[in-house]
């Protein structure tokens, strides 16, 4: 597949749905990708089977609070600067770029960098969604080293670190992103194609495109058609009645309350946020929780609303659907389950909590 100006809007809509509210506003990444593709031509989307096993895959994405990215946009050359540093420290050429996460702007922006560099984009990512912490990737579960890590900002400051594990990757890089002004571009968990075959969430770029096309081609209620496509659930339709959100420690943290429609008898749904929507609670009961995907949609269009753009009075529909199976393993839940975010609750799959989709 070639990712061109016709495909990119569908990719952006799909990335927004998969983001669970995080990853940055896809509109910004979409604009950057559209401009890069117009200037340099479309990007080839490849599977690992199309590349030699010993070639290098460079995951690439933005780190920091999504709220900062609304006003502090990229330079455009960050991908080139990261690639130059990666090739310098490893002594090996980069064969393809892979989104670090498929969610939000982080699913779109790598298309821009790939177009500018003339590299293909691997059909995969590290999460199958968006997560707030850097080591919350499938490569960490697969035992792939996060080192070396290359971080740059829009001023061409470059930092190369060799964290000993994912914990130190997060500590060092989060503080660096804050020092850079709240956001940075980084590559970590460099891997070969052979390692990507066992360590990445494959097929996620094409999955995002398919979700976007489902919305684009919807002939009935777009929310219904989306939920049928992703085997998802409506948690509540209503109006945002309260928003508490602050940017602190390199994250957007807070909570949102959605008040149900009058016919729902005054139901209230509370969403807990840390860049992404992590837990949905109703009357103290868990309706869905991380690592399953909780997304807030515009009720009319079914377009996803990032957590940093949630506002009082918006008419929304909150949905949830299953995550990639890697996150339902013991290692996946230890890394990105509710207890990894200090919630005192055990994970239960959304289909167990809510039953079979109808």
């Amino acid at each position: 597949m070639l990712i061109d100006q016709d495909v990119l809007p569908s990719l952006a809509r799909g990335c927004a749905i998969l983001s669970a509210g995080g990853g940055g506003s896809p509109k910004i990444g979409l604009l950057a990708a559209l401009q890069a593709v117009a200037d340099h031509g479309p990007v080839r989307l490849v599977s690992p089977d199309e590349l030699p096993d010993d070639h290098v895959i460079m995951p690439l994405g933005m780190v920091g609070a999504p709220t900062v990215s609304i006003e502090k946009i990229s330079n455009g050359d960050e991908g080139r600067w990261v690639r130059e540093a990666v090739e310098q420290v490893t002594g090996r050429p980069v064969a393809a770029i892979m989104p670090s996460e498929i969610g939000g702007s982080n699913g779109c922006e790598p298309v821009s960098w790939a177009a500018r560099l003339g590299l293909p984009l691997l059909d995969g990512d590290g999460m199958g969604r968006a997560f707030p912490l850097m080591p919350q990737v499938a490569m960490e579960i697969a035992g792939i080293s996060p080192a070396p890590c290359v971080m740059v900002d829009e001023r061409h400051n470059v930092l190369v670190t060799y964290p000993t594990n994912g914990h130190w990757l997060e500590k060092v890089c989060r503080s660096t992103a804050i020092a850079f002004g709240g956001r940075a571009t980084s590559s970590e968990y460099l891997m070969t194609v052979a390692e990507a075959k066992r360590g990445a969430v494959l097929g996620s770029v094409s999955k995002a495109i398919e979700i976007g096309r489902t919305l684009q081609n919807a002939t009935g209620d777009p929310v219904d058609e989306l939920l049928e496509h992703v085997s998802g659930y409506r948690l509540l339709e209503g109006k945002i009645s309260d928003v508490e959100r602050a940017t602190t420690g390199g994250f957007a943290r807070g909570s949102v309350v959605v008040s149900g429609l009058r016919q729902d008898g005054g139901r209230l749904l509370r969403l807990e946020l840390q860049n992404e929507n992590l837990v949905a609670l109703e009357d103290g009961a868990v309706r869905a929780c991380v690592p399953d995907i909780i997304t807030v949609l515009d009720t009319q269009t079914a377009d996803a609303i990032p957590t940093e753009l949630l506002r009082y009075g918006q008419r929304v529909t909150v949905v949830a659907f299953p995550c990639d199976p890697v996150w339902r393993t013991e290692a996946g839940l230890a890394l990105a389950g509710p207890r990894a975010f200090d919630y005192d609750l055990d994970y239960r799959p959304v289909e167990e909590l809510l039953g079979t989709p109808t």
Side-chain angles (χ1 to χ4, degrees), residues 100 126-127 131 133-141 189 199 327 335:
S100 295
M127 304 178 184
F131 280 121
L133 302 179
M134 295 180 71
Q136 288 172 326
V137 290
M139 294 84 80
E140 175 77 9
I141 297 173
Y189 295 97
W327 300 113
L335 188 61

Side-chain angles (χ1 to χ4, degrees), residues 85-110:
V86 164
E87 293 183 342
Q88 181 178 2
V89 300
T90 64
R92 302 180 64 188
V94 171
I97 287 174
M98 183 185 84
S100 295
E101 64 180 3
I102 193 61
S105 190
N106 267 341
C108 298
E109 196 102 23

Side-chain angles (χ1 to χ4, degrees), residues 35-350:
Q35 186 64 59
V37 166
D39 291 343
H40 304 283
V43 171
R44 188 164 64 99
L45 184 67
V46 298
S47 76
D49 294 333
E50 297 177 67
L51 301 170
D53 278 352
D54 61 347
H55 280 203
V56 175
I57 302 297
M58 184 175 74
L60 203 55
M62 292 177 289
V63 181
T67 45
V68 175
S69 297
I70 296 174
E71 298 182 2
K72 190 172 188 285
I73 63 174
S74 300
N75 176 296
D77 283 329
E78 289 91 342
R80 175 170 62 86
W81 298 334
V82 172
R83 179 197 188 182
E84 290 171 352
V86 164
E87 293 183 342
Q88 181 178 2
V89 300
T90 64
R92 302 180 64 188
V94 171
I97 287 174
M98 183 185 84
S100 295
E101 64 180 3
I102 193 61
S105 190
N106 267 341
C108 298
E109 196 102 23
V111 177
S112 168
W113 295 319
R116 290 170 177 270
L117 295 173
L119 291 173
L121 187 76
L122 189 74
D123 188 6
D125 77 303
M127 304 178 184
R129 48 160 296 155
F131 280 121
L133 302 179
M134 295 180 71
Q136 288 172 326
V137 290
M139 294 84 80
E140 175 77 9
I141 297 173
I144 297 170
S145 172
C149 171
V150 176
M151 296 187 72
V152 305
D153 70 359
E154 73 282 357
R155 303 175 185 86
H156 199 184
N157 291 307
V158 181
L159 178 71
V160 179
T161 60
Y162 291 82
T164 55
N165 54 41
H167 170 75
W168 281 104
L169 170 76
E170 173 65 27
K171 286 180 70 70
V172 171
C173 294
R174 187 68 54 181
S175 60
T176 300
I178 294 171
F180 278 170
R183 57 157 288 163
T185 302
S186 75
S187 180
E188 59 282 330
Y189 295 97
L190 292 163
M191 56 190 158
T192 64
V193 173
E195 289 174 322
K197 289 178 180 178
R198 64 176 177 84
V201 178
L202 299 178
S204 54
V205 177
S206 53
K207 179 180 180 179
I209 294 170
E210 290 167 6
I211 290 173
R213 285 175 171 167
T214 296
L215 293 175
Q216 179 182 348
N217 298 327
T219 56
D221 184 334
V223 176
D224 284 343
E225 296 196 26
L226 169 67
L227 293 180
E228 182 178 358
H229 184 82
V230 299
S231 300
Y233 303 80
R234 286 178 188 254
L235 300 185
L236 189 64
E237 179 181 342
K239 180 184 78 171
I240 294 180
S241 56
D242 189 45
V243 178
E244 296 180 12
R245 184 179 52 230
T247 301
T248 176
F251 298 102
R253 302 175 188 266
S255 63
V256 170
V257 175
V258 179
S259 300
L261 302 175
R262 183 173 300 175
Q263 57 265 36
D264 287 329
R267 290 173 57 197
L268 297 175
L269 189 74
R270 182 182 181 90
L271 302 178
E272 297 291 333
L273 318 176
Q274 183 178 322
N275 285 8
E276 285 76 40
N277 304 304
L278 299 183
V279 181
L281 301 164
E282 184 176 355
D283 294 329
V286 177
R287 299 277 287 164
C289 67
V290 67
D292 285 333
I293 300 170
I294 304 168
T295 298
V296 180
L297 306 175
D298 179 290
T299 296
Q300 295 299 316
T301 65
D303 285 328
I305 306 173
T307 57
E308 67 271 20
L309 296 180
L310 295 173
R311 300 287 186 270
Y312 174 83
Q314 288 172 327
R315 267 53 178 181
V316 300
T317 300
V318 184
V319 302
F321 53 99
C323 60
D324 188 87
V326 69
W327 300 113
R328 294 184 170 187
T329 64
E330 183 177 352
L333 289 173
L335 188 61
R339 294 190 183 277
F341 297 98
D342 296 325
Y343 292 105
D344 187 20
L345 58 94
D346 293 322
Y347 168 74
R348 292 177 61 195
V350 64

